[in-house]
């Protein structure tokens, strides 16, 4: 009881510094809900261990015919990934599917606990949804991280008492792994995702970017990137309906407060979730993607109950709009299958914004006792409402021509494996053949100087397009683009796309020249080359005139001539995936 009093005293001290409209409503844990859910046992400051979570769902599935639990592939930890499914007793065949992913960052476990409560209440009929909806959940995605429990790696987070670690069993951040797929977890995820084919995808997290009164923030997938009828629908109808419903439940949420080391009252920009992130991945399959980010400085019980309310709201709003969501998704698939040019780069449009009535804490600049420089400090006793500009429009800045098909020489098995995992349809050439194709030469790219998620990531990749007749072998892979996976194919196989396989180092072997020349003997060939090719000689002289460093560097000059001779190898900088011409 003392614990209870302490817990509610803290909750009320928090509520007192907010506007009424953002009052949070912490549900008092009910005795009958107290099964093996650590969150309930502990009066709201614990999260269940991996074993407790799995045992809980096993028992739930045993006791309720509406709940099933299945195992999928495996994770880097060695355990399979679990999928929980809630099917209403008289489920319709063309139901809307919601997939909830929890514990990708196990230090942010609010969704793990909220989903346990949610599935328990669904199974026990305490939440009544229309019969046209199925709800799925991955109880804990990062199993290795969840087992690596501690009390401090989420610096300054307000509970729970213990939690897991962000890195997985191999120390990958799984929320950067949805394209490069270094982990087994991501392959188990692909298996689940393409089995469920979710209309709505939700990933649960906690955030620490700034301080403000809201417990709940949301990152819906960027609507211009989602594109088509679905992007428009999500932005103008679905999100407002979700926000209104949350407000009516006293759980007002704000768009994710995307600021670093400055207060949000000056406005902020939407986060662009490229395909490496969970909702960037779900956008490739025209699902409405949402990241719930509960605020880590709020009481853990607030975060769990808020996430629970958000999950319930998503289910309710989705259930009301099943036919509309399905129709818009179908339109999006059709739209992208018929598209001639696919947008691959986006830039924020700073001229457009949504005006938010943002509830802020007073932010002060004080002198740091530690460094002597200015520091930011929020005053939680002083909150106010301010209109801020939320820039949530992006415009495409570059696009690529979508080919009829991509051709992948069979030796790039790692790519073919990933296509299989992602339910891509392809065929193998039945005999050797010559095809008219476009292909790329990599003309420029940058590489990060420090490792990022096990890679030295490339960016700002530029290509030049060439056309030729190429010889392909029996067994090479032909992937037609007129299929559901069109977005996945373009985003991974076009080198200029932000999260392309090229940028994730899958083709680094073509970036290195394998054969070189001996200067003492190539000198004679170079002289012949200039004698016999007037045009080349002109270009060579022009380059010397226009490039001082080149003019002073004899090796650079020989190297340039070597690259313009028959001796230079074809494979260097040639991107090895081809685009079939019409
Ligand atoms: Zn997170």
């Amino acid at each position: 009881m003392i614990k209870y009093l302490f817990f509610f005293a803290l909750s009320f001290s928090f509520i007192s510094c907010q506007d009424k409209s953002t009052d949070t409503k912490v549900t008092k844990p009910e005795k009958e809900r107290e099964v093996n859910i650590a969150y309930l046992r502990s009066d709201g400051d614990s999260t269940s261990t991996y074993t407790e979570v799995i045992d809980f769902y096993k028992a739930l599935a045993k006791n309720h015919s509406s709940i099933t639990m299945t195992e999928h592939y495996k994770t880097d930890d060695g355990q399979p990934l679990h999928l929980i499914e809630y099917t209403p007793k008289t489920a319709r065949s063309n139901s809307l599917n919601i997939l909830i992913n929890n514990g990708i960052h196990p230090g942010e476990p609010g969704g793990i606990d909220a989903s346990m409560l949610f599935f328990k209440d669904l199974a026990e009929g305490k939440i009544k949804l229309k019969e046209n909806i199925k709800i799925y959940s991955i109880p804990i995605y990062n199993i290795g991280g969840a087992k690596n429990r501690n009390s401090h790696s989420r610096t300054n987070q307000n509970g729970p008492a213990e939690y897991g670690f962000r890195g997985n069993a191999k120390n990958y951040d799984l929320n950067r792994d949805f394209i490069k797929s270094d982990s087994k977890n991501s392959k188990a995820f692909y298996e689940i995702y393409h089995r469920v084919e979710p209309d709505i995808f939700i990933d649960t997290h906690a955030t620490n970017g700034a301080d403000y009164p809201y417990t709940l923030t949301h990152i819906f997938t960027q609507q211009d990137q989602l594109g088509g009828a679905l992007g428009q629908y999500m932005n103008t109808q679905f999100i407002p309906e979700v926000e209104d419903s949350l407000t009516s439940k006293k759980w007002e949420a704000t768009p994710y407060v995307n600021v670093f080391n400055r207060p949000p009252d000056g406005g902020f920009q939407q986060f662009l979730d490229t395909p490496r992130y969970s909702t960037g991945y779900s956008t490739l399959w025209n699902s409405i993607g949402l990241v719930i980010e509960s605020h880590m400085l709020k009481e853990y019980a607030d975060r769990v109950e808020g996430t629970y309310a958000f999950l319930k709201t998503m289910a309710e709003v989705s259930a009301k709009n099943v036919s509309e969501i399905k129709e818009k998704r179908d339109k999006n698939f059709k739209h992208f299958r018929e598209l001639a040019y696919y947008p691959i780069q986006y830039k924020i449009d700073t001229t457009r914004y949504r005006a938010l009535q943002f509830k802020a804490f007073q932010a002060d600049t004080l002198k740091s006792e530690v460094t002597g420089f200015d520091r930011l400090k929020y005053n939680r006793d002083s909150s106010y409402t301010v209109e801020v500009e939320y820039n949530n429009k992006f415009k495409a800045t570059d696009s690529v021509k979508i080919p009829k098909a991509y051709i992948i020489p069979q030796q790039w098995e790692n790519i073919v494996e990933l296509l299989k995992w992602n339910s891509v349809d392809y065929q193998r050439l039945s005999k050797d053949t010559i095809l008219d194709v476009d292909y790329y030469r990599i003309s420029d790219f940058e590489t990060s100087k420090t490792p990022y998620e096990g890679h030295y990531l490339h960016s700002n990749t530029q290509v030049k397009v060439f056309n030729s007749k190429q010889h392909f072998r029996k067994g090479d892979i032909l992937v037609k683009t007129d299929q559901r996976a069109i977005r996945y194919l373009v985003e991974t196989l076009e080198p200029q796309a932000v999260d392309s396989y090229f940028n994730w180092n899958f083709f680094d072997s073509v970036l290195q020249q394998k054969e070189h020349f001996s200067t003492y003997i190539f000198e004679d060939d170079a002289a012949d080359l200039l004698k016999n090719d007037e045009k080349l000689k002109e270009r060579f002289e022009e380059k010397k005139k226009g490039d001082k460093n080149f003019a002073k560097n004899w090796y650079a000059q020989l190297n340039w001539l070597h690259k313009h001779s028959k001796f230079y190898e074809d494979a260097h900088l040639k991107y090895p995936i081809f685009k079939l011409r019409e």
Side-chain angles (χ1 to χ4, degrees):
M1 193 60 202
I2 290 166
K3 260 186 166 179
Y4 262 103
L5 282 174
F6 177 64
F7 161 55
F8 281 105
L10 278 178
S11 296
F12 282 115
S13 72
F14 159 66
I15 286 166
S16 65
C17 59
Q18 294 184 73
D19 278 21
K20 255 208 144 54
S21 56
T22 54
D23 281 0
T24 51
K25 214 166 84 181
V26 177
T27 313
K28 188 175 172 180
E30 297 163 24
K31 276 284 171 212
E32 74 263 25
R33 289 165 87 197
E34 290 188 31
V35 280
N36 50 349
I37 301 180
Y39 164 72
L40 296 179
R41 277 204 315 266
S42 65
D43 299 341
D45 197 37
S46 286
T47 185
S48 297
T49 63
Y50 170 73
T51 308
E52 285 174 325
V53 171
I54 298 306
D55 287 349
F56 163 81
Y57 281 112
K58 275 184 186 159
L60 199 67
K62 197 172 157 210
N63 295 331
H64 299 277
S65 59
S66 59
I67 304 287
T68 52
M69 185 175 186
T70 48
E71 292 183 356
H72 297 269
Y73 192 53
K74 51 194 154 187
T75 63
D76 283 350
D77 169 78
Q79 297 289 325
L81 201 58
H82 287 93
L83 177 68
I84 315 302
E85 176 178 347
Y86 164 73
T87 310
K89 283 194 179 64
T90 51
R92 301 198 189 136
S93 57
N94 191 25
S95 61
L96 179 138
N97 296 336
I98 297 181
L99 173 61
I100 304 161
N101 187 37
N102 297 301
I104 192 168
H105 295 151
E108 307 163 20
I112 297 172
D113 293 297
S115 288
M116 290 163 85
L117 301 177
F118 187 49
F119 273 76
K120 188 173 185 300
D121 287 352
L122 284 168
E124 293 173 355
K126 288 178 184 157
I127 297 176
K128 298 249 183 293
L129 291 176
K130 289 187 179 173
E131 303 290 295
N132 55 2
I133 191 161
K134 282 187 191 171
I135 301 182
Y136 299 81
S137 172
I138 297 170
I140 296 184
Y141 181 47
N142 178 355
I143 297 171
K147 289 179 178 175
N148 185 7
R149 276 164 85 100
N150 72 93
S151 303
H152 40 263
S153 56
R154 292 280 301 165
T155 309
N156 296 121
Q157 183 166 279
N158 186 3
E162 267 189 15
Y163 43 76
F165 180 63
R166 188 181 186 94
N168 88 332
K170 290 167 80 178
N171 211 33
Y172 284 113
D173 182 337
L174 296 180
N175 203 22
R176 309 289 184 270
D177 197 43
F178 287 95
I179 295 298
K180 65 186 173 68
S181 188
D182 286 319
S183 68
K184 289 197 177 99
N185 305 56
S186 61
K187 291 172 181 78
F189 182 88
Y190 296 150
E191 185 177 302
I192 287 172
Y193 199 90
H194 295 291
R195 172 187 154 138
V196 173
E197 290 189 356
D199 300 280
I200 309 280
F201 171 74
I202 304 171
D203 200 18
T204 58
H205 290 251
T207 179
N208 57 348
D211 205 357
Y212 37 75
Y214 302 94
T215 298
L216 294 175
T217 81
H218 59 71
I219 313 176
F220 279 91
T221 191
Q222 208 290 318
Q223 67 267 13
D224 303 300
Q225 185 180 241
L226 179 59
L230 188 66
Q232 173 79 3
Y233 166 76
M234 181 187 76
N235 192 40
T236 57
Q237 292 182 57
F238 189 80
I239 295 175
E241 208 174 324
V242 169
E243 286 180 339
D244 288 350
S245 177
L246 281 168
T247 303
S248 73
K249 295 182 175 97
K250 306 285 184 209
W251 281 109
E252 189 179 359
T254 175
Y256 178 63
V257 183
N258 191 15
V259 297
F260 179 72
N261 207 27
R262 70 166 177 85
D265 54 7
F268 47 94
Q269 298 181 341
Q270 188 175 20
F271 177 77
L272 182 65
D273 51 340
T274 64
R276 78 185 67 168
Y277 301 102
S278 61
T279 54
Y281 179 82
S282 66
T283 281
L284 301 183
W285 309 97
N286 297 307
S287 309
I288 291 181
L290 161 68
V291 173
I292 300 173
E293 295 269 8
S294 66
H295 190 237
M296 75 160 194
L297 299 181
K298 304 300 182 286
E299 289 289 318
Y300 186 61
D302 267 324
R303 278 141 56 196
V304 172
E305 300 294 340
T307 304
Y308 174 97
F310 213 143
L311 295 176
K312 186 165 175 272
T313 300
M314 285 294 285
E316 288 165 353
V317 173
S318 302
K320 266 199 269 172
N321 296 290
V322 169
S323 55
E324 190 146 26
I325 292 169
K326 287 202 165 285
E327 182 210 317
K328 303 294 188 221
R329 288 195 72 214
D330 287 347
K331 275 192 178 164
N332 257 47
F333 276 110
K334 191 165 179 287
H335 167 73
F336 282 100
R337 285 172 84 142
E338 289 171 355
L339 210 59
Y341 286 85
Y342 187 98
I344 47 162
Q345 295 277 350
Y346 286 91
K347 208 173 117 189
I348 192 101
D349 182 350
T350 51
T351 63
R352 299 174 70 186
Y353 61 89
R354 172 182 162 194
L356 291 181
Q357 296 302 315
F358 188 77
K359 295 183 172 62
F361 284 143
Q362 182 68 46
D364 298 319
T365 304
L366 308 176
K367 193 66 80 189
S368 163
E369 281 179 31
V370 180
T371 67
F373 291 98
D374 286 350
R375 60 152 291 183
L376 174 64
K377 190 168 175 67
Y378 290 97
N379 179 356
R380 289 188 202 144
D381 296 325
S382 172
S383 67
Y384 64 104
T385 299
V386 57
E387 181 167 305
V388 303
E389 291 183 4
Y390 169 52
N391 295 114
N392 64 341
K393 294 296 288 178
F394 281 72
K395 50 188 176 189
T397 53
D398 202 2
S399 63
V400 289
K401 190 171 191 297
I402 301 174
K404 201 170 174 187
Y406 289 99
I407 303 158
I408 306 173
Q410 57 198 288
Q411 60 269 33
W412 298 98
E413 284 170 352
N414 49 348
I415 303 294
V416 181
E417 276 302 305
L418 285 171
L419 299 191
K420 271 192 226 167
W421 278 110
N422 281 283
S423 281
V424 172
D425 289 331
Y426 64 85
Q427 62 199 81
R428 288 186 183 268
L429 298 180
S430 57
K431 55 181 186 203
D432 286 14
T433 183
I434 290 172
L435 294 170
D436 187 8
V437 292
D438 282 334
Y439 69 91
Y440 295 137
R441 284 199 177 275
I442 306 296
S443 53
D444 201 8
F445 63 97
E446 290 162 24
T447 304
S448 67
K449 292 202 165 47
T450 49
Y452 175 78
E453 290 305 317
H455 292 256
Y456 289 85
L457 192 63
H458 303 311
S459 59
N460 295 326
T461 300
Q462 302 295 322
V463 297
K464 282 196 178 127
V465 189
F466 296 86
N467 163 239
S468 78
K469 294 202 175 354
Q470 292 272 332
H471 178 258
F472 293 96
R473 291 184 296 150
K474 178 185 174 185
D476 285 348
I477 308 292
L478 183 101
V479 195
K480 290 185 180 157
T481 52
D482 184 13
Q483 60 167 301
R484 265 178 85 83
I486 163 73
R487 305 191 67 169
Y488 174 82
L489 290 168
V490 175
E491 295 274 8
T492 58
L493 298 181
E494 291 291 338
Q496 299 172 89
V498 177
D499 282 327
S500 66
Y501 288 140
F502 175 84
N503 280 344
W504 281 109
N505 307 116
F506 283 70
F507 297 107
D508 278 6
S509 58
V510 308
L511 298 179
Q512 184 197 359
Q513 195 175 338
K514 298 298 184 287
E515 297 277 19
H516 294 269
F517 58 92
S518 296
T519 55
Y520 66 90
I521 185 74
F522 180 64
E523 280 276 359
D524 301 324
D525 293 293
D528 283 347
L529 210 57
L530 291 173
K531 262 180 230 151
N532 299 330
D533 190 336
E534 272 297 313
K535 278 193 179 151
L536 185 70
K537 189 172 164 47
E538 264 172 43
R539 285 170 63 198
F540 182 62
E541 294 303 330
E542 265 170 37
K543 180 141 179 81
K544 279 203 284 188
K545 262 186 225 155
D547 185 340
K548 272 187 196 161
N549 289 331
F550 184 76
K552 284 191 279 187
N553 186 334
W554 63 268
Y555 184 84
Q557 293 178 27
L558 285 182
N559 194 34
W560 188 91
L561 287 166
H562 184 258
K563 281 192 170 160
H564 290 84
S565 76
K566 67 181 180 186
F567 303 111
Y568 178 54
E569 64 211 42
D570 181 54
H572 185 216
L573 298 172
K574 183 176 183 179
Y575 182 63
I577 290 180
F578 300 85
K579 296 170 80 167
L580 189 66
R581 284 167 73 93
E582 298 297 316

